Amino acid sequence: MKALILKSDGSIESPKRAADPLAFLGSSIELADGVTLRSFFLLLRKNPDLARLSPLFPGLAAALGAEVAASPGFSGVDFLELTKSVEMIGFPGPLRLEIYASVRGIRGGAAVDIRHEPIEAIADTPLKLGRLRHVIFGDRIEELSFDTHFSLFELLDALAWELGFHNAPVACAMMKAPGPSK
């Protein structure tokens, strides 16, 4: 089956018609030119069933819809990248395998932490699909990189995880507490 294509207006171009967007969760997805994080929120607004996959999505989709003025963006990030990782951990010792998708900021080809940036500041940052990282942790660390495809579910899951760090209560923020007043 051909891949789904997420467009900048939040619509999905699909080779097949389905009344239920949940039917496409396992389908490969590609991103059209001009797709940003805001495009993802528009997708959730147009498909409320997809927004039910994370308790964070409905509020974020409502807050960052098309009517919100474009932000100047976070100047420290060239684009946001969806990546997939396969980590083999534990040699010598108990073996473990972890497979996950994640979103990270990229600046000048290097990963940048975006967890402390307001969502409004990165909403209009371009979103791109990256590669699969295969990391082997053992006596030494080896890392390989591969072309891969991403499913609609992986995109939703990775963004839900990443955006979960953006709305932490102020009490959870890792800041230096003010000193005693004098």
Side-chain angles (χ1 to χ4, degrees), residues 81-84 128-132 146-150:
E81 181 181 60
L82 177 66
T83 64
K84 194 181 296 187
K128 297 183 180 185
L129 300 179
R131 296 175 55 111
L132 178 136
F146 300 93
D147 289 333
T148 191
H149 74 275
F150 294 89

Side-chain angles (χ1 to χ4, degrees), residues 5 14 18 33 36 44 65 75-76 91-93 124 128 133 154 165 179:
I5 299 174
S14 169
D33 290 338
T36 64
L44 296 177
S75 61
F91 184 81
D124 296 306
K128 297 183 180 185
R133 294 176 44 243
E154 288 171 321
F165 292 101

